[in-house]
Amino acid sequence: MPLTEIAVKTWIAALKQTGTSAPTARVLHNTLGSTITWTRISAGYYRGTVTEPIFTEQGTWIANSGPTSKLCMYPLSLSSINDYGYQLYWESETTVLFQLYDNTYSNIDMSTVLGDGAELNLPEIRVYSTESNQSPS
């Protein structure tokens, strides 16, 4: 009888940005087996890309968003309640999206909100997969 094992891979990091450049990550923990490369799409809108298809739609979980996906909204309070917010969500098997916005829901760069080079801790990204194994005879 096959047994099912659940494998969990995680990524935890802080992002920082200078001016309008692509953000860089200070990785605190990574067991994905791949590096996430970040690009700036437009003000406050960033894409994290891996070379291998590891982000499954049903198996990618972003801390506090629950299983499957797609959206994780957080208030980001710097000087008063709910000045800024951000979303980190699944886009495809090789990409996740990160969006930072102000209290009018207009996108805004990290460097504008936090200052050049200041870090923003991102939620944990987890990727779950199942593997079937034969039970011992």
Side-chain angles (χ1 to χ4, degrees):
M1 175 174 164
L3 299 174
T4 301
E5 293 182 16
I6 297 176
V8 181
K9 297 177 181 181
T10 59
W11 184 85
I12 303 169
L15 286 185
K16 67 180 177 179
Q17 180 186 26
T18 301
T20 58
S21 63
T24 58
R26 182 173 56 89
V27 178
L28 306 170
H29 182 77
N30 182 3
T31 58
L32 293 177
S34 188
T35 299
I36 299 177
T37 302
W38 292 93
T39 56
R40 180 183 181 270
I41 299 168
S42 62
Y45 199 49
Y46 313 94
R47 177 176 284 122
T49 304
V50 294
T51 54
E52 299 294 322
I54 58 175
F55 299 128
T56 61
E57 184 172 7
Q58 298 302 313
T60 300
W61 186 84
I62 297 169
N64 296 329
S65 71
T68 73
S69 67
K70 298 239 184 179
L71 183 60
C72 178
M73 295 182 71
Y74 291 89
L76 176 62
S77 182
L78 299 174
S79 59
S80 63
I81 296 176
N82 297 326
D83 285 344
Y84 303 96
Y86 64 94
Q87 302 174 27
L88 180 63
Y89 50 98
W90 178 89
E91 181 183 39
S92 74
E93 289 185 347
T94 57
T95 58
V96 291
L97 294 175
F98 170 64
Q99 180 182 14
L100 180 63
Y101 51 87
D102 64 18
N103 60 1
T104 66
Y105 296 99
S106 297
N107 288 356
I108 188 167
D109 278 322
M110 282 185 285
S111 59
T112 303
V113 174
L114 302 172
D116 278 348
E119 291 185 330
L120 175 64
N121 293 324
L122 289 182
E124 177 181 351
I125 298 172
R126 296 182 193 170
V127 178
Y128 292 89
S129 63
T130 57
E131 299 173 4
S132 293
N133 295 317
Q134 294 297 324
S135 63
S137 303

